[in-house]
PDB file of all heavy atoms in Angstrom:
ATOM      1  N   LYS A 296      23.849 121.247  66.888  1.00  0.00           N
ATOM      2  CA  LYS A 296      22.880 121.399  68.088  1.00  0.00           C
ATOM      3  C   LYS A 296      21.605 120.765  67.847  1.00  0.00           C
ATOM      4  O   LYS A 296      21.041 120.304  68.835  1.00  0.00           O
ATOM      5  CB  LYS A 296      22.751 122.918  68.253  1.00  0.00           C
ATOM      6  CG  LYS A 296      23.834 123.672  69.123  1.00  0.00           C
ATOM      7  CD  LYS A 296      23.564 125.065  69.353  1.00  0.00           C
ATOM      8  CE  LYS A 296      24.591 125.909  70.139  1.00  0.00           C
ATOM      9  NZ  LYS A 296      24.310 127.297  70.455  1.00  0.00           N
ATOM     10  N   VAL A 297      21.144 120.867  66.626  1.00  0.00           N
ATOM     11  CA  VAL A 297      19.817 120.304  66.320  1.00  0.00           C
ATOM     12  C   VAL A 297      19.919 118.621  66.034  1.00  0.00           C
ATOM     13  O   VAL A 297      18.933 118.212  65.567  1.00  0.00           O
ATOM     14  CB  VAL A 297      19.126 120.965  65.164  1.00  0.00           C
ATOM     15  CG1 VAL A 297      19.039 122.393  65.426  1.00  0.00           C
ATOM     16  CG2 VAL A 297      19.990 120.844  63.870  1.00  0.00           C
ATOM     17  N   GLY A 298      21.092 118.088  66.150  1.00  0.00           N
ATOM     18  CA  GLY A 298      21.269 116.706  65.983  1.00  0.00           C
ATOM     19  C   GLY A 298      21.674 116.237  64.718  1.00  0.00           C
ATOM     20  O   GLY A 298      21.605 115.053  64.397  1.00  0.00           O
ATOM     21  N   VAL A 299      22.187 117.111  63.833  1.00  0.00           N
ATOM     22  CA  VAL A 299      22.783 116.658  62.469  1.00  0.00           C
ATOM     23  C   VAL A 299      24.177 116.121  62.741  1.00  0.00           C
ATOM     24  O   VAL A 299      25.139 116.785  62.987  1.00  0.00           O
ATOM     25  CB  VAL A 299      22.708 117.864  61.504  1.00  0.00           C
ATOM     26  CG1 VAL A 299      23.342 117.491  60.264  1.00  0.00           C
ATOM     27  CG2 VAL A 299      21.289 118.335  61.271  1.00  0.00           C
ATOM     28  N   THR A 300      24.287 114.839  62.504  1.00  0.00           N
ATOM     29  CA  THR A 300      25.636 114.207  62.657  1.00  0.00           C
ATOM     30  C   THR A 300      26.187 113.574  61.411  1.00  0.00           C
ATOM     31  O   THR A 300      27.367 113.429  61.282  1.00  0.00           O
ATOM     32  CB  THR A 300      25.456 113.093  63.818  1.00  0.00           C
ATOM     33  OG1 THR A 300      24.552 112.211  63.373  1.00  0.00           O
ATOM     34  CG2 THR A 300      25.207 113.629  65.103  1.00  0.00           C
ATOM     35  N   ARG A 301      25.315 113.288  60.377  1.00  0.00           N
ATOM     36  CA  ARG A 301      25.609 112.671  59.191  1.00  0.00           C
ATOM     37  C   ARG A 301      25.234 113.549  58.010  1.00  0.00           C
ATOM     38  O   ARG A 301      24.927 114.703  58.106  1.00  0.00           O
ATOM     39  CB  ARG A 301      25.188 111.334  59.102  1.00  0.00           C
ATOM     40  CG  ARG A 301      25.673 110.476  60.350  1.00  0.00           C
ATOM     41  CD  ARG A 301      25.100 108.969  60.113  1.00  0.00           C
ATOM     42  NE  ARG A 301      25.689 108.283  58.963  1.00  0.00           N
ATOM     43  CZ  ARG A 301      25.308 107.042  58.553  1.00  0.00           C
ATOM     44  NH1 ARG A 301      24.467 106.453  59.437  1.00  0.00           N
ATOM     45  NH2 ARG A 301      25.870 106.431  57.641  1.00  0.00           N
ATOM     46  N   ASP A 302      25.057 112.887  56.805  1.00  0.00           N
ATOM     47  CA  ASP A 302      24.635 113.730  55.596  1.00  0.00           C
ATOM     48  C   ASP A 302      23.307 114.357  55.861  1.00  0.00           C
ATOM     49  O   ASP A 302      22.373 113.707  56.245  1.00  0.00           O
ATOM     50  CB  ASP A 302      24.504 112.758  54.506  1.00  0.00           C
ATOM     51  CG  ASP A 302      25.922 112.182  53.989  1.00  0.00           C
ATOM     52  OD1 ASP A 302      26.866 112.795  54.342  1.00  0.00           O
ATOM     53  OD2 ASP A 302      26.058 111.255  53.339  1.00  0.00           O
ATOM     54  N   ALA A 303      23.213 115.640  55.601  1.00  0.00           N
ATOM     55  CA  ALA A 303      21.986 116.493  55.753  1.00  0.00           C
ATOM     56  C   ALA A 303      21.606 117.210  54.552  1.00  0.00           C
ATOM     57  O   ALA A 303      22.361 117.687  53.765  1.00  0.00           O
ATOM     58  CB  ALA A 303      22.295 117.352  56.976  1.00  0.00           C
ATOM     59  N   LEU A 304      20.322 117.202  54.377  1.00  0.00           N
ATOM     60  CA  LEU A 304      19.711 117.994  53.345  1.00  0.00           C
ATOM     61  C   LEU A 304      18.940 119.130  53.990  1.00  0.00           C
ATOM     62  O   LEU A 304      18.025 119.000  54.731  1.00  0.00           O
ATOM     63  CB  LEU A 304      18.641 117.214  52.540  1.00  0.00           C
ATOM     64  CG  LEU A 304      18.025 117.823  51.347  1.00  0.00           C
ATOM     65  CD1 LEU A 304      18.861 118.216  50.235  1.00  0.00           C
ATOM     66  CD2 LEU A 304      16.794 116.965  50.853  1.00  0.00           C
ATOM     67  N   VAL A 305      19.370 120.333  53.689  1.00  0.00           N
ATOM     68  CA  VAL A 305      18.875 121.562  54.379  1.00  0.00           C
ATOM     69  C   VAL A 305      17.943 122.170  53.332  1.00  0.00           C
ATOM     70  O   VAL A 305      18.287 122.668  52.210  1.00  0.00           O
ATOM     71  CB  VAL A 305      20.064 122.469  54.717  1.00  0.00           C
ATOM     72  CG1 VAL A 305      19.423 123.915  55.455  1.00  0.00           C
ATOM     73  CG2 VAL A 305      20.937 121.782  55.794  1.00  0.00           C
ATOM     74  N   VAL A 306      16.657 122.328  53.671  1.00  0.00           N
ATOM     75  CA  VAL A 306      15.674 122.820  52.746  1.00  0.00           C
ATOM     76  C   VAL A 306      15.208 124.203  53.330  1.00  0.00           C
ATOM     77  O   VAL A 306      14.679 124.257  54.408  1.00  0.00           O
ATOM     78  CB  VAL A 306      14.445 121.841  52.658  1.00  0.00           C
ATOM     79  CG1 VAL A 306      13.499 122.387  51.548  1.00  0.00           C
ATOM     80  CG2 VAL A 306      14.933 120.492  52.387  1.00  0.00           C
ATOM     81  N   VAL A 307      15.259 125.234  52.386  1.00  0.00           N
ATOM     82  CA  VAL A 307      14.896 126.466  52.672  1.00  0.00           C
ATOM     83  C   VAL A 307      13.859 126.998  51.645  1.00  0.00           C
ATOM     84  O   VAL A 307      13.858 126.506  50.568  1.00  0.00           O
ATOM     85  CB  VAL A 307      16.093 127.469  52.852  1.00  0.00           C
ATOM     86  CG1 VAL A 307      16.854 127.148  53.971  1.00  0.00           C
ATOM     87  CG2 VAL A 307      16.880 127.542  51.445  1.00  0.00           C
ATOM     88  N   ASP A 308      13.271 128.123  52.025  1.00  0.00           N
ATOM     89  CA  ASP A 308      12.129 128.615  51.022  1.00  0.00           C
ATOM     90  C   ASP A 308      12.900 129.248  49.946  1.00  0.00           C
ATOM     91  O   ASP A 308      12.331 129.232  48.759  1.00  0.00           O
ATOM     92  CB  ASP A 308      11.201 129.519  51.772  1.00  0.00           C
ATOM     93  CG  ASP A 308      11.953 130.711  52.320  1.00  0.00           C
ATOM     94  OD1 ASP A 308      13.091 130.556  52.874  1.00  0.00           O
ATOM     95  OD2 ASP A 308      11.456 131.858  52.413  1.00  0.00           O
ATOM     96  N   SER A 309      14.054 129.982  50.155  1.00  0.00           N
ATOM     97  CA  SER A 309      14.870 130.588  49.082  1.00  0.00           C
ATOM     98  C   SER A 309      16.264 130.663  49.602  1.00  0.00           C
ATOM     99  O   SER A 309      16.465 130.943  50.862  1.00  0.00           O
ATOM    100  CB  SER A 309      14.234 131.962  48.742  1.00  0.00           C
ATOM    101  OG  SER A 309      14.312 132.801  49.802  1.00  0.00           O
ATOM    102  N   LYS A 310      17.218 130.314  48.707  1.00  0.00           N
ATOM    103  CA  LYS A 310      18.606 130.560  49.086  1.00  0.00           C
ATOM    104  C   LYS A 310      19.086 132.011  49.205  1.00  0.00           C
ATOM    105  O   LYS A 310      18.586 132.814  48.427  1.00  0.00           O
ATOM    106  CB  LYS A 310      19.531 129.840  48.045  1.00  0.00           C
ATOM    107  CG  LYS A 310      19.370 128.268  48.043  1.00  0.00           C
ATOM    108  CD  LYS A 310      20.270 127.710  46.907  1.00  0.00           C
ATOM    109  CE  LYS A 310      20.183 126.265  46.908  1.00  0.00           C
ATOM    110  NZ  LYS A 310      21.146 125.774  45.843  1.00  0.00           N
ATOM    111  N   THR A 311      20.020 132.161  50.060  1.00  0.00           N
ATOM    112  CA  THR A 311      20.647 133.507  50.166  1.00  0.00           C
ATOM    113  C   THR A 311      22.095 133.378  49.996  1.00  0.00           C
ATOM    114  O   THR A 311      22.614 132.291  50.392  1.00  0.00           O
ATOM    115  CB  THR A 311      20.264 134.118  51.517  1.00  0.00           C
ATOM    116  OG1 THR A 311      20.900 133.315  52.657  1.00  0.00           O
ATOM    117  CG2 THR A 311      18.787 134.361  51.816  1.00  0.00           C
ATOM    118  N   PRO A 312      22.723 134.494  49.666  1.00  0.00           N
ATOM    119  CA  PRO A 312      24.248 134.343  49.341  1.00  0.00           C
ATOM    120  C   PRO A 312      25.024 133.838  50.678  1.00  0.00           C
ATOM    121  O   PRO A 312      25.903 133.111  50.675  1.00  0.00           O
ATOM    122  CB  PRO A 312      24.721 135.655  49.074  1.00  0.00           C
ATOM    123  CG  PRO A 312      23.434 136.313  48.352  1.00  0.00           C
ATOM    124  CD  PRO A 312      22.267 135.743  49.228  1.00  0.00           C
ATOM    125  N   GLU A 313      24.430 134.286  51.981  1.00  0.00           N
ATOM    126  CA  GLU A 313      24.977 134.070  53.066  1.00  0.00           C
ATOM    127  C   GLU A 313      25.066 132.600  53.455  1.00  0.00           C
ATOM    128  O   GLU A 313      25.852 131.893  53.965  1.00  0.00           O
ATOM    129  CB  GLU A 313      24.443 134.827  54.300  1.00  0.00           C
ATOM    130  CG  GLU A 313      24.881 136.340  54.240  1.00  0.00           C
ATOM    131  CD  GLU A 313      23.933 137.095  53.167  1.00  0.00           C
ATOM    132  OE1 GLU A 313      22.927 136.466  52.728  1.00  0.00           O
ATOM    133  OE2 GLU A 313      24.443 138.210  52.810  1.00  0.00           O
ATOM    134  N   LEU A 314      23.735 131.919  53.262  1.00  0.00           N
ATOM    135  CA  LEU A 314      23.554 130.577  53.483  1.00  0.00           C
ATOM    136  C   LEU A 314      24.330 129.698  52.561  1.00  0.00           C
ATOM    137  O   LEU A 314      24.778 128.648  52.980  1.00  0.00           O
ATOM    138  CB  LEU A 314      22.060 130.239  53.306  1.00  0.00           C
ATOM    139  CG  LEU A 314      21.009 130.574  54.476  1.00  0.00           C
ATOM    140  CD1 LEU A 314      19.626 130.310  54.096  1.00  0.00           C
ATOM    141  CD2 LEU A 314      21.445 129.767  55.776  1.00  0.00           C
ATOM    142  N   VAL A 315      24.433 130.058  51.321  1.00  0.00           N
ATOM    143  CA  VAL A 315      25.252 129.317  50.352  1.00  0.00           C
ATOM    144  C   VAL A 315      26.697 129.264  50.719  1.00  0.00           C
ATOM    145  O   VAL A 315      27.357 128.266  50.807  1.00  0.00           O
ATOM    146  CB  VAL A 315      25.202 129.944  49.020  1.00  0.00           C
ATOM    147  CG1 VAL A 315      26.112 129.299  47.829  1.00  0.00           C
ATOM    148  CG2 VAL A 315      23.608 129.775  48.470  1.00  0.00           C
ATOM    149  N   MET A 316      27.299 130.426  51.278  1.00  0.00           N
ATOM    150  CA  MET A 316      28.531 130.581  51.758  1.00  0.00           C
ATOM    151  C   MET A 316      28.822 129.720  52.920  1.00  0.00           C
ATOM    152  O   MET A 316      29.758 129.007  53.106  1.00  0.00           O
ATOM    153  CB  MET A 316      28.847 131.952  52.023  1.00  0.00           C
ATOM    154  CG  MET A 316      29.200 132.856  50.806  1.00  0.00           C
ATOM    155  SD  MET A 316      29.443 134.552  51.177  1.00  0.00           S
ATOM    156  CE  MET A 316      31.040 134.380  52.133  1.00  0.00           C
ATOM    157  N   ALA A 317      27.801 129.757  53.820  1.00  0.00           N
ATOM    158  CA  ALA A 317      28.013 128.920  55.137  1.00  0.00           C
ATOM    159  C   ALA A 317      27.907 127.469  54.946  1.00  0.00           C
ATOM    160  O   ALA A 317      28.504 126.778  55.754  1.00  0.00           O
ATOM    161  CB  ALA A 317      26.827 129.452  55.988  1.00  0.00           C
ATOM    162  N   THR A 318      27.267 127.000  53.851  1.00  0.00           N
ATOM    163  CA  THR A 318      27.206 125.545  53.847  1.00  0.00           C
ATOM    164  C   THR A 318      27.963 125.018  52.627  1.00  0.00           C
ATOM    165  O   THR A 318      28.100 123.691  52.440  1.00  0.00           O
ATOM    166  CB  THR A 318      25.608 125.099  53.506  1.00  0.00           C
ATOM    167  OG1 THR A 318      25.231 125.919  52.266  1.00  0.00           O
ATOM    168  CG2 THR A 318      24.796 125.599  54.666  1.00  0.00           C
ATOM    169  N   ALA A 319      28.560 125.893  51.826  1.00  0.00           N
ATOM    170  CA  ALA A 319      29.344 125.313  50.643  1.00  0.00           C
ATOM    171  C   ALA A 319      30.431 124.421  51.084  1.00  0.00           C
ATOM    172  O   ALA A 319      30.810 123.525  50.233  1.00  0.00           O
ATOM    173  CB  ALA A 319      29.867 126.481  49.805  1.00  0.00           C
ATOM    174  N   ASN A 320      31.188 124.732  52.151  1.00  0.00           N
ATOM    175  CA  ASN A 320      32.271 123.916  52.450  1.00  0.00           C
ATOM    176  C   ASN A 320      32.049 122.835  53.515  1.00  0.00           C
ATOM    177  O   ASN A 320      32.998 122.146  54.014  1.00  0.00           O
ATOM    178  CB  ASN A 320      33.430 124.890  53.108  1.00  0.00           C
ATOM    179  CG  ASN A 320      34.063 125.782  52.038  1.00  0.00           C
ATOM    180  OD1 ASN A 320      34.214 125.249  50.945  1.00  0.00           O
ATOM    181  ND2 ASN A 320      34.488 126.875  52.422  1.00  0.00           N
ATOM    182  N   LEU A 321      30.738 122.628  53.691  1.00  0.00           N
ATOM    183  CA  LEU A 321      30.302 121.541  54.653  1.00  0.00           C
ATOM    184  C   LEU A 321      30.110 120.264  53.764  1.00  0.00           C
ATOM    185  O   LEU A 321      29.082 120.250  53.039  1.00  0.00           O
ATOM    186  CB  LEU A 321      29.149 121.805  55.503  1.00  0.00           C
ATOM    187  CG  LEU A 321      29.244 122.914  56.496  1.00  0.00           C
ATOM    188  CD1 LEU A 321      28.061 123.347  57.100  1.00  0.00           C
ATOM    189  CD2 LEU A 321      30.276 122.599  57.674  1.00  0.00           C
ATOM    190  N   GLN A 322      30.927 119.274  53.780  1.00  0.00           N
ATOM    191  CA  GLN A 322      30.948 118.139  52.849  1.00  0.00           C
ATOM    192  C   GLN A 322      29.589 117.235  53.092  1.00  0.00           C
ATOM    193  O   GLN A 322      29.132 116.682  52.098  1.00  0.00           O
ATOM    194  CB  GLN A 322      32.055 117.337  52.942  1.00  0.00           C
ATOM    195  CG  GLN A 322      33.369 117.992  52.576  1.00  0.00           C
ATOM    196  CD  GLN A 322      34.605 117.092  52.645  1.00  0.00           C
ATOM    197  OE1 GLN A 322      34.484 115.928  53.155  1.00  0.00           O
ATOM    198  NE2 GLN A 322      35.700 117.616  52.234  1.00  0.00           N
ATOM    199  N   ASN A 323      29.054 117.280  54.310  1.00  0.00           N
ATOM    200  CA  ASN A 323      27.992 116.449  54.596  1.00  0.00           C
ATOM    201  C   ASN A 323      26.639 117.151  54.487  1.00  0.00           C
ATOM    202  O   ASN A 323      25.593 116.682  54.969  1.00  0.00           O
ATOM    203  CB  ASN A 323      28.081 115.748  55.988  1.00  0.00           C
ATOM    204  CG  ASN A 323      28.153 116.769  57.008  1.00  0.00           C
ATOM    205  OD1 ASN A 323      28.563 117.822  56.873  1.00  0.00           O
ATOM    206  ND2 ASN A 323      27.560 116.472  58.193  1.00  0.00           N
ATOM    207  N   VAL A 324      26.682 118.430  53.958  1.00  0.00           N
ATOM    208  CA  VAL A 324      25.420 119.321  53.955  1.00  0.00           C
ATOM    209  C   VAL A 324      25.137 119.798  52.489  1.00  0.00           C
ATOM    210  O   VAL A 324      25.939 120.215  51.843  1.00  0.00           O
ATOM    211  CB  VAL A 324      25.571 120.624  54.875  1.00  0.00           C
ATOM    212  CG1 VAL A 324      24.286 121.439  54.777  1.00  0.00           C
ATOM    213  CG2 VAL A 324      25.781 120.025  56.368  1.00  0.00           C
ATOM    214  N   MET A 325      23.943 119.507  52.178  1.00  0.00           N
ATOM    215  CA  MET A 325      23.385 120.049  50.862  1.00  0.00           C
ATOM    216  C   MET A 325      22.225 121.031  51.079  1.00  0.00           C
ATOM    217  O   MET A 325      21.253 120.703  51.652  1.00  0.00           O
ATOM    218  CB  MET A 325      22.926 118.894  49.972  1.00  0.00           C
ATOM    219  CG  MET A 325      22.409 119.373  48.520  1.00  0.00           C
ATOM    220  SD  MET A 325      21.816 118.003  47.664  1.00  0.00           S
ATOM    221  CE  MET A 325      23.282 117.236  47.133  1.00  0.00           C
ATOM    222  N   LEU A 326      22.391 122.200  50.394  1.00  0.00           N
ATOM    223  CA  LEU A 326      21.437 123.300  50.563  1.00  0.00           C
ATOM    224  C   LEU A 326      20.611 123.333  49.302  1.00  0.00           C
ATOM    225  O   LEU A 326      21.236 123.270  48.263  1.00  0.00           O
ATOM    226  CB  LEU A 326      22.004 124.544  50.797  1.00  0.00           C
ATOM    227  CG  LEU A 326      21.100 125.803  50.989  1.00  0.00           C
ATOM    228  CD1 LEU A 326      20.402 125.843  52.283  1.00  0.00           C
ATOM    229  CD2 LEU A 326      22.016 127.158  50.850  1.00  0.00           C
ATOM    230  N   VAL A 327      19.201 123.246  49.504  1.00  0.00           N
ATOM    231  CA  VAL A 327      18.401 123.159  48.410  1.00  0.00           C
ATOM    232  C   VAL A 327      16.980 124.053  48.707  1.00  0.00           C
ATOM    233  O   VAL A 327      16.643 124.199  49.837  1.00  0.00           O
ATOM    234  CB  VAL A 327      17.925 121.786  48.055  1.00  0.00           C
ATOM    235  CG1 VAL A 327      17.063 121.204  49.238  1.00  0.00           C
ATOM    236  CG2 VAL A 327      17.184 121.767  46.768  1.00  0.00           C
ATOM    237  N   SER A 328      16.605 124.764  47.646  1.00  0.00           N
ATOM    238  CA  SER A 328      15.442 125.366  47.746  1.00  0.00           C
ATOM    239  C   SER A 328      14.202 124.449  47.864  1.00  0.00           C
ATOM    240  O   SER A 328      14.303 123.375  47.104  1.00  0.00           O
ATOM    241  CB  SER A 328      15.199 126.383  46.619  1.00  0.00           C
ATOM    242  OG  SER A 328      16.183 127.289  46.653  1.00  0.00           O
ATOM    243  N   ALA A 329      13.081 124.810  48.488  1.00  0.00           N
ATOM    244  CA  ALA A 329      11.922 123.881  48.581  1.00  0.00           C
ATOM    245  C   ALA A 329      11.341 123.378  47.174  1.00  0.00           C
ATOM    246  O   ALA A 329      10.935 122.261  47.012  1.00  0.00           O
ATOM    247  CB  ALA A 329      10.863 124.496  49.449  1.00  0.00           C
ATOM    248  N   GLN A 330      11.356 124.368  46.264  1.00  0.00           N
ATOM    249  CA  GLN A 330      10.649 123.854  45.045  1.00  0.00           C
ATOM    250  C   GLN A 330      11.557 123.018  44.178  1.00  0.00           C
ATOM    251  O   GLN A 330      11.136 122.572  43.142  1.00  0.00           O
ATOM    252  CB  GLN A 330      10.252 125.254  44.367  1.00  0.00           C
ATOM    253  CG  GLN A 330      11.484 126.064  43.900  1.00  0.00           C
ATOM    254  CD  GLN A 330      11.743 127.320  44.904  1.00  0.00           C
ATOM    255  OE1 GLN A 330      11.522 126.990  46.160  1.00  0.00           O
ATOM    256  NE2 GLN A 330      12.292 128.352  44.451  1.00  0.00           N
ATOM    257  N   TYR A 331      12.872 122.808  44.561  1.00  0.00           N
ATOM    258  CA  TYR A 331      13.718 121.903  43.770  1.00  0.00           C
ATOM    259  C   TYR A 331      13.985 120.528  44.625  1.00  0.00           C
ATOM    260  O   TYR A 331      14.953 119.823  44.323  1.00  0.00           O
ATOM    261  CB  TYR A 331      15.017 122.634  43.543  1.00  0.00           C
ATOM    262  CG  TYR A 331      14.885 123.764  42.502  1.00  0.00           C
ATOM    263  CD1 TYR A 331      14.944 125.059  43.078  1.00  0.00           C
ATOM    264  CD2 TYR A 331      14.590 123.555  41.225  1.00  0.00           C
ATOM    265  CE1 TYR A 331      14.828 126.116  42.277  1.00  0.00           C
ATOM    266  CE2 TYR A 331      14.480 124.650  40.426  1.00  0.00           C
ATOM    267  CZ  TYR A 331      14.436 125.938  40.796  1.00  0.00           C
ATOM    268  OH  TYR A 331      14.428 127.012  39.988  1.00  0.00           O
ATOM    269  N   LEU A 332      13.214 120.184  45.475  1.00  0.00           N
ATOM    270  CA  LEU A 332      13.307 119.000  46.112  1.00  0.00           C
ATOM    271  C   LEU A 332      13.125 117.770  45.151  1.00  0.00           C
ATOM    272  O   LEU A 332      12.268 117.850  44.246  1.00  0.00           O
ATOM    273  CB  LEU A 332      12.156 118.850  47.281  1.00  0.00           C
ATOM    274  CG  LEU A 332      12.613 119.124  48.670  1.00  0.00           C
ATOM    275  CD1 LEU A 332      11.264 118.946  49.659  1.00  0.00           C
ATOM    276  CD2 LEU A 332      13.726 118.480  49.114  1.00  0.00           C
ATOM    277  N   ASN A 333      13.867 116.812  45.450  1.00  0.00           N
ATOM    278  CA  ASN A 333      13.827 115.618  44.522  1.00  0.00           C
ATOM    279  C   ASN A 333      13.907 114.279  45.298  1.00  0.00           C
ATOM    280  O   ASN A 333      14.445 114.420  46.477  1.00  0.00           O
ATOM    281  CB  ASN A 333      14.820 115.671  43.476  1.00  0.00           C
ATOM    282  CG  ASN A 333      16.316 115.661  43.902  1.00  0.00           C
ATOM    283  OD1 ASN A 333      16.775 114.600  44.214  1.00  0.00           O
ATOM    284  ND2 ASN A 333      16.876 116.864  43.896  1.00  0.00           N
TER     285      ASN A 333
END
């Protein structure tokens, strides 16, 4: 809906178990905490 069509880096303030589960099987999505940006 927000326009993510290819490889995406999702940056959150802190990871939650639910967010990790929701993104773990999305091959084109990487979930990362803000303080671990590189």
Side-chain angles (χ1 to χ4, degrees):
K296 281 185 179 180
V297 300
V299 174
T300 56
R301 301 180 66 184
D302 293 342
L304 180 65
V305 179
V306 186
V307 294
D308 57 328
S309 60
K310 292 182 180 180
T311 62
E313 292 77 16
L314 282 176
V315 173
M316 289 175 60
T318 58
N320 288 331
L321 295 175
Q322 295 182 355
N323 64 326
V324 176
M325 176 181 289
L326 181 69
V327 65
S328 299
Q330 62 268 30
Y331 293 107
L332 267 180
N333 61 80

